[in-house]
Amino acid sequence: MWRDLAPIGRHAETGGYRRYAWTGADTDCRAWFQAQAEARGLTYELDRNGNQWAWLGDPTAGDAVVTGSHLDSVPDGGAFDGPLGVVSSFAALDQLRARGAAPTKPLAIVNFGDEEGARFGLACVGSRLTAGQLGPEQAHALRDADGVTLPRAMERAGYDPEAIGPDPERLARIGAFVELHIEQGRGLNDTSHPVGVASAIWPHGRWRFDFHGEANHAGTTRLDDRRDPMLTYANTVLAARKKARLAGALATFGKVGVEPNGVNAIAGLVRGWLDSRAPDEETLAAVVGEIERAAVERGRRDGVDVRVTRESFTPIVEFAHDLRDQLSGLLGGVPVLPTGAGHDAGILSASVPTAMLFVRNPTGVSHSPAETAGEDDCLAGVAALAQVLEGLACH
């Protein structure tokens, strides 16, 4: 499975993956998922929001145990973030069947669409739509960098965007959702365990900072006469690092747009996107507020107008304690640790009991071609997931 999936969407020069929602690479990943489901005799479904489901047992029976993750990527992402959870789900099901386990509840594997938000700027679109946390009108307004709307992209890929929306009937079928994921950090490296259980997801969000200055000639405009938004932006990047470090939080400007973007031109507009995360919502709000204040203060000195727009926000997610403790017990008391990364499991946690398993990441690197996990650790993750599914669905 891993060899078949690995080449899809891989960029020849960077070695990273560009599996963006509703593109050719995404279509190929979806075809791979459907083929895996059909090869196992599972009931394949595509829901109203473009998420894929593979069912063992009656999909309508209720109290189902669901596992899975996503197959899309960030720009030049790694091979494991998302796909490891999907591949491991099929492999865990194979293990259960090989040892003759008899599920007493329906089992399902899911591939949630557009989890990373790399194309339209909003993470977890598929699961947000399903859970009713993103309305059809908001979804229809999403555009990519080329101005293509989400509905148009779906149509081009052969899907009906008019069908998208909340899916409470589907959520009502789920008794528990368990997502396996590579750890995006090095917490497990400090232990002897290849697999851990998630305790919570830090609250996190994305904010767009627009720095409006005055475009001008780089070779004729005196320094004192400039209203250069690049200076304000650069100072804000440094301020974000400082404010986050002092608060024990995270803050990153990872995307920037410049207009007119000429080598010999002073920018008229710099637009930067802030990703910030913290252990609790109060700390997160304080950090973002401090960064905004620093930007506005520097903007006054530079003659630059600063406008800040919150584009997305996900509150803290405490995974279902009973389910979390049950998983830890089934796995012999493995480590329980938090994460700063968002996941479909976090979105679904408001609607159904959810939990997560993490597989050790020796470098801690993620969202990069250097992301990796050892084969033995991946196999340990499959075994752990199989044990969890058996404990939840076969007794």
Side-chain angles (χ1 to χ4, degrees), residues 305-324:
D305 180 50
V306 180
R307 303 170 194 171
V308 180
T309 304
R310 190 178 80 176
E311 293 193 338
S312 69
F313 175 75
T314 303
I316 190 169
V317 172
E318 287 279 352
F319 289 113
H321 290 193
D322 291 348
L323 183 59
R324 180 191 68 193

Side-chain angles (χ1 to χ4, degrees), residues 20 72-75 114-122 206 255:
Y20 306 147
D72 67 312
S73 77
V74 298
D114 199 6
E115 192 271 354
E116 295 290 7
R119 184 173 181 185
F120 298 102
L122 178 65
R206 298 178 182 183
K255 179 181 178 181

Side-chain angles (χ1 to χ4, degrees), residues 17 48 64 87 135 142 151 169 256 291 339:
Y17 287 88
R48 63 189 301 175
V87 171
L142 295 174
E169 296 85 1
V256 62
I291 296 169
T339 179

Side-chain angles (χ1 to χ4, degrees), residues 129-160:
L129 282 168
T130 300
Q133 296 180 26
L134 175 66
E137 186 174 324
Q138 297 167 294
H140 280 220
L142 295 174
R143 294 177 179 270
D144 67 11
D146 297 320
V148 178
T149 64
L150 174 64
R152 182 60 180 144
M154 293 179 72
E155 285 177 342
R156 288 177 178 175
Y159 294 85
D160 179 12

Side-chain angles (χ1 to χ4, degrees), residues 18-334:
R18 300 181 180 182
R19 296 168 173 163
Y20 306 147
W22 310 113
T23 63
D26 185 48
T27 297
D28 291 344
C29 286
R30 290 170 174 274
W32 174 91
F33 183 95
Q34 184 173 353
Q36 295 299 323
E38 292 174 348
R40 290 167 173 79
L42 305 177
T43 300
Y44 173 77
E45 285 186 326
L46 183 71
D47 71 20
R48 63 189 301 175
N49 296 307
N51 305 310
Q52 295 178 288
W53 301 78
W55 290 89
L56 176 65
D58 181 3
T60 65
D63 201 24
V65 177
V66 180
T67 187
S69 192
H70 63 95
L71 294 174
D72 67 312
S73 77
V74 298
D76 286 327
F80 293 81
D81 181 355
L84 180 63
V86 178
V87 171
S88 296
S89 297
F90 282 116
L93 179 59
D94 292 344
Q95 281 198 12
L96 289 182
R97 284 176 152 177
R99 60 184 183 233
T104 56
K105 301 177 182 179
L107 272 173
I109 298 170
V110 62
N111 168 36
F112 282 110
D114 199 6
E115 192 271 354
E116 295 290 7
R119 184 173 181 185
F120 298 102
L122 178 65
C124 301
V125 169
S127 56
R128 285 184 193 272
L129 282 168
T130 300
Q133 296 180 26
L134 175 66
E137 186 174 324
Q138 297 167 294
H140 280 220
L142 295 174
R143 294 177 179 270
D144 67 11
D146 297 320
V148 178
T149 64
L150 174 64
R152 182 60 180 144
M154 293 179 72
E155 285 177 342
R156 288 177 178 175
Y159 294 85
D160 179 12
E162 297 306 316
I164 64 174
D167 201 346
E169 296 85 1
R170 183 169 298 274
L171 290 176
R173 301 178 183 178
I174 303 173
F177 176 66
V178 179
E179 181 174 4
L180 179 144
H181 205 280
I182 188 172
E183 187 190 4
Q184 294 168 294
R186 301 184 68 249
L188 286 171
N189 281 285
D190 296 330
T191 76
S192 60
H193 296 273
V195 179
V197 175
S199 60
I201 298 176
W202 282 11
H204 55 279
R206 298 178 182 183
W207 289 261
R208 189 184 76 238
F209 282 63
D210 293 334
F211 303 90
H212 293 268
E214 182 180 59
N216 216 325
H217 196 299
T220 61
T221 310
R222 297 185 308 173
L223 294 180
D224 289 344
D225 292 338
R226 300 183 179 198
R227 295 176 52 222
D228 187 351
M230 190 65 77
L231 297 179
T232 314
Y233 166 71
N235 187 80
T236 305
V237 173
L238 297 175
R241 173 63 179 261
K242 179 179 179 180
K243 304 301 183 185
R245 185 178 66 248
L246 292 174
L250 299 169
T252 307
F253 278 96
K255 179 181 178 181
V256 62
V258 181
E259 298 177 10
N261 204 28
V263 175
N264 59 348
I266 300 166
L269 169 66
V270 175
R271 179 169 286 141
W273 281 264
L274 171 71
D275 178 299
S276 191
R277 306 161 191 247
D280 57 77
E281 293 172 29
E282 293 77 11
T283 301
L284 178 60
V287 168
V288 174
E290 287 290 328
I291 296 169
E292 181 175 353
R293 280 188 286 275
V296 170
E297 181 180 336
R298 177 67 193 216
R300 291 195 190 101
R301 294 167 53 190
D302 296 332
V304 171
D305 180 50
V306 180
R307 303 170 194 171
V308 180
T309 304
R310 190 178 80 176
E311 293 193 338
S312 69
F313 175 75
T314 303
I316 190 169
V317 172
E318 287 279 352
F319 289 113
H321 290 193
D322 291 348
L323 183 59
R324 180 191 68 193
D325 295 344
Q326 187 178 2
L327 263 60
S328 182
L330 287 168
L331 300 177
V334 297

